[in-house]
Amino acid sequence: MFVRRGLRWLREKFTSKARNLLLRVLAAGPIPRHVAFVMDGNRRYARMNHKKIQQGHTDGFIALRRMLEVCLRLNVKCVSAYAFSIENFKRSPEEVDALMGLAEEKLLELCQNGELLDQYGVRLNVVGRRELLPERVQRAVRKAESRTRHNKQAIFNLCMPYTSRDEITTAVQSTVRNALKEIDELDPITEEDIDAQLMTSLGSSPPLDVLIRTSGVKRLSDFLLWQCCEDTQLQFTSTYWPDFGLFDFIPIILDYQRKTWSRRVSLS
Ligand code: FPP
Ligand code: MG
């Protein structure tokens, strides 16, 4: 018993030391400024592991927290996660309720115990049509955002309920409305004007360098379509989101570093 505990302690100590070293080595190379996750595969993960769907989403949140910490330790300045699409309201009321309950619980937990966000100086932005969320979740969103609004070192965009077409449509409407106010001197509407109105600009997110989708599906599903500009690296992996971890992320970072170095060489 004593020996087994001792061995477990040693193994954990060793693996955490090895992990720290690995993260430090990776962080010495070029690191993406902005990483986005399409967290897909929670229900298939739940079915595969004989768990309830709700548990699949809860385990998905644990994976999100884990990956947020990995990104922050690597010095990624902005992380965006697709937590709930506007289309997800069409899922069964039980599943929507479970996801809303999870969002409220985790956001409130963050307010009481915001050590990860405070430790790394992370500002939380909930991006999307928040007025579609139940009032109790909207309250939790306001609390969590105001709790972290003075943090300046990094940004965490939790996208819910979000779709890109909605974001772009809203941005175009605001741009036109603003332009009409200055009708006397109407300049053509530029890409920068629309960019400034995008929901993800709220926290001045840097350009999107890497977008990762899990679970073997190769679609963007209306996520960050405007932000996926020519330099964004799209990465698809077959791992279900709740199982996604450091060892799925390392090859993606190495690929980013290899491409960044070869671009620098070809420019020099
Ligand atoms: C996609 O998997 C996942 C979602 C629709 C929800 C993602 C949410 C989390 C990971 C928890 C996030 C945290 C908060 C704060 C709510 P899926 O349901 O489409 O699974 P499938 O592709 O296997 O059907
Ligand atoms: Mg899915």
Side-chain angles (χ1 to χ4, degrees), residues 37-94:
F37 295 105
V38 180
M39 309 181 286
D40 198 16
N42 290 359
R43 293 182 297 186
R44 278 167 285 162
Y45 157 91
R47 278 193 287 273
M48 189 178 78
N49 291 289
H50 312 288
K51 293 183 174 187
K52 293 198 170 132
I53 299 291
Q54 187 174 348
Q55 189 59 44
H57 292 313
T58 305
D59 290 357
F61 180 81
I62 296 170
L64 174 58
R65 197 195 178 286
R66 174 169 70 232
M67 288 317 300
L68 182 59
E69 182 157 20
V70 166
C71 287
L72 294 169
R73 291 187 63 179
L74 284 174
N75 216 13
V76 173
K77 291 293 171 214
C78 178
V79 175
S80 297
Y82 205 2
F84 195 86
S85 146
I86 294 175
E87 296 298 309
N88 288 153
F89 279 116
K90 293 181 187 150
R91 292 193 177 188
S92 74
E94 299 78 57

Side-chain angles (χ1 to χ4, degrees), residues 51-181:
K51 293 183 174 187
K52 293 198 170 132
I53 299 291
Q54 187 174 348
Q55 189 59 44
H57 292 313
T58 305
D59 290 357
F61 180 81
I62 296 170
L64 174 58
R65 197 195 178 286
R66 174 169 70 232
M67 288 317 300
L68 182 59
E69 182 157 20
V70 166
C71 287
L72 294 169
R73 291 187 63 179
L74 284 174
N75 216 13
V76 173
K77 291 293 171 214
C78 178
V79 175
S80 297
Y82 205 2
F84 195 86
S85 146
I86 294 175
E87 296 298 309
N88 288 153
F89 279 116
K90 293 181 187 150
R91 292 193 177 188
S92 74
E94 299 78 57
E95 191 180 347
V96 172
D97 273 0
L99 277 164
M100 292 299 137
L102 183 66
E104 184 192 11
E105 178 195 325
K106 296 301 171 192
L107 287 166
L108 290 176
E109 218 172 84
L110 215 64
C111 299
Q112 285 154 5
N113 192 6
E115 88 293 347
L116 178 68
L117 300 187
D118 285 341
Q119 185 188 345
Y120 292 93
V122 185
R123 177 180 179 151
L124 169 84
N125 294 319
V126 172
V127 175
R129 287 288 203 108
R130 56 174 76 195
E131 69 275 16
L132 300 179
L133 296 169
E135 185 48 46
R136 63 180 214 277
V137 184
Q138 289 188 41
R139 259 198 308 274
V141 166
R142 286 194 294 270
K143 230 173 158 181
E145 282 187 335
S146 79
R147 168 89 171 67
T148 64
R149 82 167 168 255
H150 301 296
N151 289 341
K152 299 264 185 292
Q153 262 142 266
I155 297 165
F156 174 38
N157 294 317
L158 187 62
C159 302
M160 58 177 269
Y162 173 90
T163 62
S164 267
R165 280 174 297 175
D166 177 68
E167 181 188 29
I168 295 168
T169 310
T170 311
V172 171
Q173 283 166 353
S174 319
T175 311
V176 171
R177 208 171 297 127
N178 287 348
L180 287 176
K181 277 190 213 145

Side-chain angles (χ1 to χ4, degrees), residues 2-19:
F2 215 59
V3 174
R4 205 178 311 147
R5 253 198 225 155
L7 280 174
R8 196 183 321 137
W9 180 83
L10 256 179
R11 199 176 57 222
E12 275 164 14
K13 265 273 181 266
F14 177 75
T15 49
S16 86
K17 279 231 164 96
R19 251 171 88 89

Side-chain angles (χ1 to χ4, degrees), residues 17-29 31 73-74:
K17 279 231 164 96
R19 251 171 88 89
N20 288 348
L21 184 67
L22 201 59
L23 286 170
R24 256 196 248 149
V25 171
L26 275 180
I31 289 297
R73 291 187 63 179
L74 284 174

